[in-house]
């Protein structure tokens, strides 16, 4: 077995983390032969709950978990990290203006970015989940100037998965039969789900989604609004925000960073634009279609489809345009 990697999950006493931590610990994300030191960070008032999460992880008796550290201290949580999954953020409450939400989260993610800068490995992969995810990710990246900006990404995979699921439900196939949907923009109701390049497997053959459905009005109307408003619909029905599906999307996102995307497929990720792709201004955190290729023996594999590709090796990954 390889050396343990050190993985941080913030907001670790929350409902998303509760659905996420077992999958990390059992090898579903980083592989069945990758030992893990799992670091759980939350605010001081949540330490009692976090102790319960720690006990449950211990009781799972997961062989890959070499250590589990529960803490409310940034110098402990961010030290020597290989991966940081920043789930925790200030939630939007009734009556709260968006500017108030942004102000509260800027403070959180400036502090966490500074902690990454001070304590983490410079090769750390940072995945921001807490909303507003695009803004929070950019804030963290700007607060950690010595960590390559290409190491920061935010979660739009939940929207990507929602789009795949809607197509699959409409056609009566599984989500695995649908590939290459795109989420453009922000993880919010302003996002744009795009199936112009999407394919679906029907009767053993891949066909374009538009050709498969033959329902342009649905694809250009109800499909888009359903994906855009899915989070709000879950909250209305559940009285809580998405947790199980968010955790699954985090696993998908991190696994693709770690192992690369399947040949011929691309996924959606919020990453920092260089200003040369798809007309998106420089230095904007935006969801793009992305392919990820693993680096072996010093050579990069060729990429496909998108002008904006992430390449990955064991220490760092970078964009190539």
């Amino acid at each position: 077995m390889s050396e343990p990697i050190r993985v941080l999950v913030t907001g670790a006493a929350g409902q998303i983390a509760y659905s996420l931590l077992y999958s990390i610990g059992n090898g579903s994300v980083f592989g069945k032969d990758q030992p893990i030191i799992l670091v759980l960070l939350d605010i001081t008032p949540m330490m009692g709950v976090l102790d319960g999460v720690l006990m449950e992880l211990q009781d799972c008796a997961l062989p890959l978990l070499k250590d589990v550290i529960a803490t409310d201290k940034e110098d402990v949580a961010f030290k020597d990290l290989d991966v940081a999954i920043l789930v925790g953020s200030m939630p939007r409450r009734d009556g709260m203006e968006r500017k108030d939400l942004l102000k509260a989260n800027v403070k959180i993610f400036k502090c966490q970015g500074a902690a990454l800068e001070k304590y983490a490995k410079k090769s750390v992969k940072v995945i921001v989940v807490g909303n507003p995810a695009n803004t929070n990710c950019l804030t963290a990246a700007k607060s950690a100037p010595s960590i390559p900006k290409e190491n920061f990404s935010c979660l739009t995979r939940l929207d990507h998965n929602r789009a795949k699921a809607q197509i699959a439900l409409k056609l009566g196939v599984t989500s695995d039969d649908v590939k290459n949907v795109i989420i453009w923009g922000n993880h919010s109701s302003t996002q744009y789900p795009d199936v112009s390049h999407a394919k679906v497997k029907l009767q053993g053959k891949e066909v374009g989604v538009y050709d498969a459905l033959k329902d342009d009005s649905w694809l250009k109307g109800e499909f888009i609004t359903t994906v855009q408003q899915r989070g709000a619909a879950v909250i209305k029905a559940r009285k809580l925000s998405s947790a199980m599906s968010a955790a699954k999307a985090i696993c998908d996102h991190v696994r693709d960073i770690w192992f690369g995307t399947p040949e011929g497929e691309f996924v959606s990720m919020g990453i920092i634009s260089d200003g040369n792709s798809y007309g998106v201004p420089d230095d904007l955190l935006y969801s793009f279609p992305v392919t990820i290729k693993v680096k072996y023996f010093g050579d990069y594999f060729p990429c496909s489809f998108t002008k904006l590709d992430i390449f990955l090796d064991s220490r760092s990954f970078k964009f190539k345009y």
Side-chain angles (χ1 to χ4, degrees):
M1 298 182 80
S2 56
E3 289 296 309
I5 57 171
R6 197 173 180 96
V7 179
L8 168 67
V9 176
T10 72
Q15 61 163 348
I16 293 176
Y18 196 76
S19 294
L20 170 66
L21 294 171
Y22 179 77
S23 293
I24 294 175
N26 73 3
S28 296
V29 178
F30 296 101
K32 301 296 184 181
D33 59 352
Q34 179 58 67
I36 293 170
I37 298 170
L38 188 55
V39 187
L40 313 178
L41 175 67
D42 217 309
I43 57 176
T44 303
M46 297 301 294
M47 286 306 294
V49 176
L50 196 56
D51 285 342
V53 175
L54 171 62
M55 286 187 280
E56 286 212 69
L57 282 168
Q58 292 169 340
D59 294 347
C60 286
L62 297 167
L64 292 174
L65 280 186
K66 297 308 177 185
D67 196 7
V68 182
I69 301 165
T71 184
D72 58 355
K73 295 178 174 59
E74 288 184 344
D75 59 336
V76 175
F78 287 86
K79 182 175 176 58
D80 296 332
L81 291 179
D82 295 287
V83 179
I85 305 173
L86 307 183
V87 178
S89 65
M90 172 71 74
R92 189 171 184 175
R93 300 190 175 97
D94 287 342
M96 182 182 282
E97 296 290 338
R98 189 167 183 82
K99 64 180 181 180
D100 299 323
L101 179 68
L102 289 170
K103 184 177 180 180
N105 279 296
V106 161
K107 183 177 179 180
I108 293 169
F109 284 88
K110 281 184 72 173
C111 289
Q112 293 188 351
L116 287 163
E117 174 77 8
K118 186 173 182 179
Y119 301 113
K121 295 178 181 178
K122 300 310 176 187
S123 58
V124 63
K125 312 300 182 294
V126 184
I127 299 91
V128 176
V129 178
N131 284 318
N134 295 58
T135 305
N136 291 343
C137 186
L138 188 61
T139 300
K142 294 291 186 181
S143 302
S146 71
I147 297 173
K149 66 180 182 179
E150 295 86 357
N151 286 25
F152 289 82
S153 59
C154 78
L155 189 76
T156 57
R157 186 59 169 268
L158 178 53
D159 309 299
H160 181 101
N161 288 351
R162 286 165 171 167
K164 285 181 61 175
Q166 289 301 309
I167 298 297
L169 287 168
K170 190 76 170 176
L171 287 169
V173 298
T174 69
S175 292
D176 279 351
D177 292 322
V178 182
K179 69 178 185 180
N180 294 351
V181 301
I182 303 169
I183 302 297
W184 299 101
N186 208 28
H187 176 61
S188 73
S189 60
T190 63
Q191 67 177 264
Y192 186 78
D194 176 10
V195 295
S196 300
H197 301 275
K199 303 286 186 182
V200 60
K201 186 182 292 184
L202 293 176
Q203 298 177 342
K205 295 182 179 180
E206 283 191 354
V207 296
V209 165
Y210 270 90
D211 292 334
L213 277 172
K214 296 181 173 59
D215 191 347
D216 291 11
S217 62
W218 181 80
L219 285 169
K220 294 177 180 178
E222 184 182 341
F223 163 72
I224 291 173
T225 57
T226 296
V227 176
Q228 288 174 334
Q229 299 170 12
R230 189 66 163 186
V234 170
I235 292 172
K236 184 177 180 181
R238 218 182 147 239
K239 314 307 178 191
L240 292 167
S241 60
S242 304
M244 180 169 45
S245 56
K248 166 62 165 53
I250 295 166
C251 292
D252 292 342
H253 180 117
V254 178
R255 190 186 306 109
D256 283 342
I257 286 177
W258 207 250
F259 293 107
T261 48
E263 188 66 31
E265 295 189 29
F266 48 84
V267 296
S268 303
M269 267 184 203
I271 52 179
I272 299 175
S273 173
D274 73 338
N276 295 321
S277 299
Y278 307 108
V280 178
D282 182 38
D283 218 27
L284 188 70
L285 208 299
Y286 195 88
S287 181
F288 290 95
V290 172
T291 58
I292 304 171
K293 297 295 179 181
V294 179
K295 179 184 177 185
Y296 291 109
F297 309 116
D299 295 320
Y300 288 114
F301 281 86
C303 291
S304 60
F305 178 73
T306 176
K307 296 177 183 176
L308 184 57
D309 296 322
I310 295 180
F311 293 79
L312 176 70
D313 65 19
S314 61
R315 293 182 176 272
S316 63
F317 67 91
K318 60 184 179 180
F319 303 118
K320 183 176 180 181
Y321 302 94

